[in-house]
Each structure stands twice: as structure tokens, then as C-alpha cells.
Amino acid sequence: MDGGSPVPTSVVVDIDAATDELGMHAALEVARCGLDRGELPIGAVVVVEGQVIARAHTEEVSQRRLLVHAELLALEEADRQQGWDRRSATLYTTLEPCLMCLGAAATAMVGRIVWAVESDGDGAGRLARTWNDGRSPDLPHLHLPKLSGPVGAATAVELFRSYVDARADSCDPFVRWASTLVDQAHASG
């Protein structure tokens, strides 16, 4: 310090929370890009040592396929890179991962997943809380990442609300599903 006033000792910064907010901010930006392209606003980034090494949004509309979730695409991009510490990586996603994406993150050996919006209907969080019980630590590829959330839920819910509002007269099942996420968030908030 250069002679200025000292930092008050009452200021406490939760480094993990601040890091998670930054990671989620990056995932939300990717989700906005997807929304701008007509996709569900689901974005994911893989962060290692504070650096985003992969990012993707869901591409179900543009690719006309179902196995192109944001988390899968981001994990695939990260997997193509060499030399990153998988166990120290965090996957940030705007939606609680489904069972498929949770399994992909476990296979990629990612250490953590941080999500924004809970998905009671198809989120795999409940399964993840009990999956590792009793499993041998000698089989690391069978251990699921640690999950935490919600982080950035209000912003993510607003993105989903924008998606639903723009398609209010649609009978598209994705729109109906997204509206359940918005309703669920509104009921719990």
C-alpha cells in the first residue's frame, strides 16, 4: 500500500464464491449468445486455474439434434486440449446438469460442477449426492464431480423467461419445459 488508508478488517471476501460468480458470469454470457441464436439459454464453460478453456451453448435447434447439450459440447472442446488438470477443473452451467451431462463430466474427470438453475424434473443433483457413497477411491473415473448451486440463478431464470416470452404462443415442448423452470424458480423464490 502507498500510504493510503488501511483495508478494514471487517471486509471478508469469499474467494470461492467470487470465483464461482466469475465462472458463472462467463456461462451466462455464452447462454445469452445461444438465446440470441434461438437456442435454449443454456451455456457452459470449463474453467481451469481461473482460465476459461472451453465454452459452448446448447445447439439443439441449430443442429436439429438432441445430444448437443451445452455441457457436452464444452466438455468435448476441453477434452481436445492437452495438459490441463482435470480434477482442478470446474464446469459452470446455467442449468443443473441432466444425468447424461453429469455422466460426461464424471468421465472427463472434472472436479466440480457449479449450476445456476435447479431442474427438479431432470436434474441429476439428487443422484450425485448419493452416487459416491461406498465407492472405492481407487476408481476415480467412477466418482462424480462435486456439485454446487445455485449461483447466478436470478440472471439465468431471466434468460429462460425471455426464451419463453418470445415463444409464448408456441406448443414446442422445449418452451413448455423452460416455463416449468421459470415457474419453479418463482415458486421457490
Side-chain angles (χ1 to χ4, degrees), residues 150-161:
V151 173
T155 304
V157 167
E158 285 308 310
L159 292 174
F160 279 104
R161 186 182 321 274

Side-chain angles (χ1 to χ4, degrees), residues 85 110 114 156:
D85 181 9
V110 169
V114 178

Side-chain angles (χ1 to χ4, degrees), residues 97-115:
C98 69
L99 183 58
M100 176 177 64
C101 292
L102 179 63
T107 301
M109 297 171 58
V110 169
R112 293 178 63 224
I113 299 173
V114 178
W115 49 267

